[in-house]
Amino acid sequence: LIRRVSAQSMAHCAHSRLASYSHNTRTALVLRKRAAKTRAASKGFADGRTNTTPGEKAQTPSLGKLLNGCPLFFVGDDTEVNERVAEAFAEQLRGYTPLSTSKVVGEMNGVEDGDAVARDEGEDAAALAEAAVLETASTFVRTAVACRGGGGGAAARGACWRHIHGGIGVWLDGRDGKPQANRKVLPQDEAYSLAEVKVVFEACTDVEVTTQSIVPKVEEALIALTTNFERESEKKGMPDGQRSLAAKKLLYVKLGARGDWPEIQPPEWQPE
């Protein structure tokens, strides 16, 4: 049985318990240690440049240039698949660092992972801790973030997407071979559908094989997403520095990730 809380109660958490949790010394220490490389590379994203060594060719230059350091958030019900795909993209996109929210939550609490926290303290406590990690991770650059799956993670709760929208959300939707029409719609699907990219894959027992089949599809979808965004921005006459999806994501984060994605409101706007 999946325990979920309402958007209203999660929003309340974001302004009270979550705010204090995110400043926990252990949380900050774990994230700094796991994302040290990302912090060192942050100047490239903020300045609109990539940190490629002269003469060095990135493995996927077209996608790397389009992302320009924008973080990726992988969501879906299979935590291990999310983690493997995040690791694959971190390796493929030079300068990116993989980050597993489940492992960070576990390390923060002295246990193996977020599932262990859920067993000991309940799904809501695990989701609250993961939401705090996502809040901090949304301010990082060049990260490939794997979110906890199973339907009980923070990504399964719509209120937590205000932070995931600081990067590009990718829903890895695993299927068991059943036709689309026969697939049962799960409660968390509504939250997952907030992702900009959705990749459907056939799950198999070999996670490595599954990962290898997913990565090219995700790359293709990300290239299509970012190039289409730039094309539409050019049609609208947007200035050169504001035409990329990465630039708009950066603006969203700078304004406080207030939950107004994709229609970013003026700086004086405050969420209800």
Side-chain angles (χ1 to χ4, degrees):
L1 179 63
I2 299 171
R3 293 195 301 166
R4 307 178 79 228
V5 295
S6 67
Q8 182 178 4
S9 60
M10 281 301 293
H12 174 72
C13 288
H15 289 90
S16 55
R17 293 161 62 198
L18 178 57
S20 61
Y21 201 115
S22 65
H23 291 90
N24 181 280
T25 302
R26 185 181 301 173
T27 308
L29 179 62
V30 171
L31 286 175
R32 280 199 300 268
K33 182 172 67 174
R34 287 182 174 268
K37 293 182 181 179
T38 303
R39 286 183 177 275
S42 64
K43 191 174 186 300
F45 183 40
D47 293 346
R49 299 192 300 269
T50 54
N51 288 355
T52 304
T53 304
E56 177 185 43
K57 184 177 180 180
Q59 292 179 349
T60 55
S62 58
L63 179 57
K65 183 177 180 180
L66 290 166
L67 292 177
N68 198 23
C70 185
L72 302 173
F73 290 87
F74 296 96
V75 308
D77 281 340
D78 194 322
T79 302
E80 186 176 7
V81 169
N82 295 346
E83 291 174 346
R84 291 292 188 91
V85 173
E87 290 168 0
F89 269 91
E91 182 178 353
Q92 191 172 358
L93 295 167
R94 202 174 296 274
Y96 271 65
T97 300
L99 176 66
S100 166
T101 59
S102 181
K103 291 178 180 177
V104 171
V105 168
E107 189 170 344
M108 284 161 45
N109 289 274
V111 294
E112 183 178 359
D113 53 24
D115 289 344
V117 174
R119 287 192 297 270
D120 294 342
E121 304 180 27
E123 286 286 6
D124 289 348
L128 185 66
E130 186 184 9
V133 174
L134 289 172
E135 181 181 14
T136 303
S138 68
T139 65
F140 291 173
V141 296
R142 291 187 170 84
T143 48
V145 182
C147 298
R148 178 171 170 258
R157 306 166 186 240
C160 293
W161 277 77
R162 56 174 290 206
H163 303 302
I164 297 177
H165 282 317
I168 298 175
V170 181
W171 177 11
L172 304 179
D173 187 10
R175 304 295 170 86
D176 55 7
K178 294 180 181 179
Q180 170 68 18
N182 297 334
R183 180 180 181 272
K184 181 180 180 181
V185 177
L186 301 173
Q188 59 268 29
D189 288 356
E190 182 178 358
Y192 292 158
S193 67
L194 294 171
E196 287 95 347
V197 169
K198 177 182 178 181
V199 171
V200 177
F201 67 93
E202 294 295 333
C204 70
T205 55
D206 191 327
V207 179
E208 187 62 34
V209 172
T210 299
T211 302
Q212 291 175 0
S213 70
I214 293 173
V215 169
K217 296 179 182 179
V218 174
E219 181 177 0
E220 182 181 359
L222 287 171
I223 290 174
L225 172 72
T226 49
T227 53
N228 289 339
F229 185 92
E230 291 190 5
R231 189 178 299 115
E232 291 301 314
S233 296
E234 185 176 0
K235 289 181 180 179
K236 295 177 182 178
M238 299 292 290
D240 289 344
Q242 300 177 26
R243 289 181 182 177
S244 72
L245 181 58
K248 186 172 181 178
K249 292 286 187 179
L250 179 60
L251 174 62
Y252 173 77
V253 172
K254 281 186 172 181
L255 290 175
R258 301 169 297 177
D260 52 344
W261 182 267
E263 301 298 330
I264 301 178
Q265 301 301 309
E268 63 273 11
W269 180 81
Q270 294 294 329
E272 296 181 359

